[in-house]
Amino acid sequence: MKRSAPVNRRTVLKAGGALLLSVMAPHSAQAMQILAVRVWPAADYTRVTLENDAELKATHFLVKDPHRLVVDIEGLTLNATLKELVAKIQTNDPYIKQVRVGQNRPNVVRLVFDLKAEVNPQVFSLKPVANYKHRLVFDLYPAVEIDPIAALIEKGEWAKDTTTADKVADKVADKIAEKVAELSIDKKDEKKVEKKTDNKADAKTENSSDKTNAKLASKPDEAKPVLKLDDKVTAKTDVAGKEIPIEKSTGKVATHTEESKEKSDAVVRMITIALDPGHGGEDPGASGRRGSREKDVVLAIAKRLKKKLDELPNMRVMLTRDGDFFVPLQTRVAKARGVQADLFVSIHADAFVNANARGSSVFVLSERGASSTAARWLADKENDADLIGGVNINTQDKHLAGVLLDLSTTAQINDSLKLGKVVLKEIGGINRLHKGSVEQAGFAVLKAPDIPSILIETAFISNPEEEAKLTDEAYQEELADAIVRGIKKYLAKNPPLARNKMA
């Protein structure tokens, strides 16, 4: 009988290693499968998110004629979840026409985005946070940056009388120039005209001047400048109540009188308000027991508030987001400053660990620490929105963020406190207040140095009773009305006419 060869240690180790690899191989393959795909189209930019158990490595490049974005993702095998991306592209997406998904080569999946316009893509990865695992993000921004004021004009937000003092002056000058041209007699013809004819012309000129003044003065409700034609060629506004000299040679309103200019500004001063619905897109915010999401509730309230403010004279409103997409905290502040907002109102509906917590609150910025432990906790939680929503840290201007904090002046905080007090008082008329005074904390969205800014916690969405209120249309209307009353009362006592804005 033949004796079997002894089993040495190396043979055992080889067998064990092979067994270990066979056990781990399916597990590794499973980890590199896409778990979810999401698309967030918006006018600002379109975001595409791929969520995975492990970090994904991707490379990308742009192709022209027609415009396309090509993305190669390593370590992936095409699965049903990834194929769902094709159906998630909406026809009204501003930047993506369609997407094609395929297995480009072993363990490499290729995505080809057919674009509607040239884009500036940002591709980056996010570490696991909150309920999310690893995320690979594609942000498709327009190649030409959108001007915030131009965007307002395109949306019709400035369809009201937004005439500035300079434009009023130009209109007045044009009117004057027209009348002077009509009433002037060419010097060459003047030599050929008899004295009698000259008298008739003068009489005609005088009558025309009287008719012109009578016609323009017959519409005082339009607050248009009343023109007065005489030897000095002057124009006078019925609101300013003071004549503004006009230069005959150019037909332009003289601007050397500062007092006249300030009064002219007062005639046409428009007030711009930035409304900031919190969270959005990848960041749902807090959630209620019934499934209500903070990002949806506050957007609905902000839209109602915008509609009411838009109906007021000399008022225009900009939303930092008008749909379900994420806006970084620093970008929200930049948007408000971009349209030279006079007020900034951020709207939230937070949750607390205790479901019994209830009531509305108003917060303003603090440079010296939070006014309470709860305020500090809330500010830290809100400031984490960038982590959850997903910010490309390579594009964040950390220096600017620090400058905004350093430049936050006592005057800005004092103005914010005044605004916060009147708004809080009005909200207290329709809902219980969590605290009877305005609180302070280091909220990132309140750091615009030149804009009075408040953050309103409309109610606790974690409280079942308040969640029901927040999703009720009638209550949303009452809440919007209360905020409007507070803003109007603040502006009545603190008109932003003379406030200097930073460039």
Side-chain angles (χ1 to χ4, degrees):
M1 184 175 175
K2 190 175 180 180
R3 187 176 296 178
S4 60
V7 179
N8 59 33
R9 184 179 178 186
R10 178 170 293 183
T11 304
V12 173
L13 289 175
K14 285 183 178 180
L19 178 62
L20 182 62
L21 288 173
S22 65
V23 172
M24 292 182 64
H27 206 55
S28 299
Q30 183 180 3
M32 295 302 288
Q33 294 293 319
I34 297 294
L35 300 178
V37 294
R38 295 179 291 275
V39 182
W40 310 97
D44 290 28
Y45 72 105
T46 290
R47 166 169 288 191
V48 178
T49 305
L50 307 182
E51 189 174 0
N52 193 62
D53 264 339
E55 185 174 359
L56 297 174
K57 183 179 180 181
T59 57
H60 70 279
F61 57 92
L62 291 168
V63 181
K64 293 186 177 181
D65 300 325
H67 292 294
R68 283 158 290 162
L69 170 65
V70 181
V71 181
D72 287 338
I73 308 174
E74 299 179 13
L76 275 187
T77 301
L78 192 62
N79 68 349
T81 304
L82 190 53
K83 290 179 181 178
E84 291 176 3
L85 181 61
V86 176
K88 288 184 180 289
I89 304 301
Q90 302 178 20
T91 56
N92 63 345
D93 190 303
Y95 304 108
I96 303 176
K97 185 184 300 182
Q98 65 178 6
V99 62
R100 289 169 281 150
V101 183
Q103 193 76 46
N104 181 256
R105 55 188 184 274
N107 293 322
V108 176
V109 169
R110 170 166 288 188
L111 310 179
V112 179
F113 295 92
D114 295 318
L115 306 171
K116 294 180 179 178
E118 187 177 0
V119 300
N120 177 24
Q122 294 181 12
V123 181
F124 56 98
S125 298
L126 297 171
K127 300 291 185 182
V129 63
N131 296 325
Y132 292 119
K133 296 186 182 298
H134 290 275
R135 285 174 289 172
L136 181 62
V137 180
F138 315 112
D139 284 347
L140 277 57
Y141 288 90
V144 179
E145 189 175 349
I146 298 175
D147 180 82
I149 294 180
L152 281 179
I153 295 173
E154 185 177 350
K155 292 179 181 178
E157 303 295 350
W158 284 13
K160 304 176 186 179
D161 180 16
T162 60
T163 310
T164 63
D166 290 338
K167 290 182 180 179
V168 169
D170 288 341
K171 288 184 178 181
V172 173
D174 290 343
K175 287 287 185 182
I176 294 293
E178 282 181 21
K179 293 304 174 183
V180 171
E182 290 176 5
L183 302 176
S184 297
I185 300 175
D186 191 282
K187 290 183 179 181
K188 293 181 180 179
D189 295 334
E190 214 172 41
K191 296 178 181 179
K192 301 178 182 180
V193 178
E194 296 180 357
K195 184 176 182 180
K196 186 177 180 180
T197 306
D198 289 339
N199 292 336
K200 289 182 179 180
D202 291 339
K204 184 178 180 181
T205 299
E206 185 176 353
N207 291 336
S208 298
S209 177
D210 293 339
K211 290 179 181 179
T212 301
N213 284 327
K215 183 178 180 181
L216 292 170
S218 64
K219 300 180 180 180
D221 57 318
E222 295 183 5
K224 292 184 177 179
V226 178
L227 304 183
K228 177 183 176 183
L229 297 178
D230 54 21
D231 293 340
K232 295 182 180 179
V233 194
T234 60
K236 180 172 65 177
T237 63
D238 55 347
V239 179
K242 184 174 181 179
E243 290 189 355
I244 304 175
I246 295 180
E247 299 172 4
K248 288 185 179 181
S249 59
T250 63
K252 297 293 184 179
V253 175
T255 58
H256 60 272
T257 307
E258 291 298 328
E259 183 181 357
S260 300
K261 188 179 187 301
E262 288 177 5
K263 290 183 177 180
S264 182
D265 284 342
V267 176
V268 293
R269 181 68 159 92
M270 295 291 293
I271 296 173
T272 304
I273 298 178
L275 296 182
D276 175 48
H279 309 282
E282 289 285 292
D283 176 21
S287 299
R289 290 186 177 182
R290 301 180 183 180
S292 304
R293 300 180 300 183
E294 181 180 5
K295 67 175 184 178
D296 300 325
V297 169
V298 297
L299 180 60
I301 294 172
K303 286 183 174 180
R304 292 180 187 276
L305 180 55
K306 180 184 185 302
K307 182 178 179 181
K308 293 178 183 296
L309 289 171
D310 276 335
E311 293 172 352
L312 299 178
N314 300 326
M315 192 84 70
R316 57 189 169 220
V317 180
M318 182 273 292
L319 289 171
T320 58
R321 70 175 181 95
D322 55 7
D324 188 12
F325 60 97
F326 175 70
V327 182
L329 301 176
Q330 186 175 310
T331 304
R332 295 171 188 262
V333 177
K335 281 189 168 189
R337 302 188 82 217
V339 296
Q340 296 186 342
D342 295 294
L343 300 177
F344 180 90
V345 180
S346 191
I347 303 171
H348 293 256
D350 204 27
F352 196 65
V353 290
N354 184 356
N356 294 324
R358 60 183 301 166
S360 303
S361 305
V362 174
F363 295 84
V364 303
L365 182 65
S366 171
E367 292 183 293
R368 302 176 181 176
S371 56
S372 68
T373 302
R376 184 185 301 109
W377 177 86
L378 183 60
D380 290 342
K381 186 171 179 292
E382 294 295 354
N383 291 344
D384 284 343
D386 278 355
L387 298 176
I388 300 171
V391 172
N392 184 0
I393 58 174
N394 295 324
T395 64
Q396 287 294 288
D397 191 338
K398 297 180 180 179
H399 174 68
L400 176 59
V403 169
L404 290 181
L405 176 61
D406 294 339
L407 290 178
S408 296
T409 62
T410 302
Q412 186 263 22
I413 293 177
N414 286 341
D415 286 340
S416 301
L417 283 168
K418 292 176 184 177
L419 173 62
K421 286 177 182 177
V422 289
V423 170
L424 185 67
K425 183 176 180 181
E426 293 298 328
I427 294 178
I430 65 163
N431 191 38
R432 174 179 174 179
L433 297 180
H434 184 66
K435 192 171 182 180
S437 60
V438 177
E439 295 196 73
Q440 293 182 255
F443 290 91
V445 292
L446 302 181
K447 292 181 180 178
D450 51 342
I451 308 174
S453 305
I454 62 173
L455 185 146
I456 301 173
E457 288 290 353
T458 53
F460 283 92
I461 200 170
S462 53
N463 183 301
E465 293 181 13
E466 294 205 326
E467 179 187 9
K469 276 187 175 182
L470 288 169
T471 55
D472 179 66
E473 293 186 1
Y475 178 75
Q476 290 181 1
E477 283 286 309
E478 290 182 1
L479 184 61
D481 284 333
I483 298 172
V484 169
R485 288 194 300 270
I487 290 175
K488 287 172 65 177
K489 288 183 177 180
Y490 169 80
L491 291 173
K493 292 185 178 180
N494 304 275
L497 299 177
R499 185 166 64 86
N500 293 326
K501 290 184 174 296
M502 298 179 64

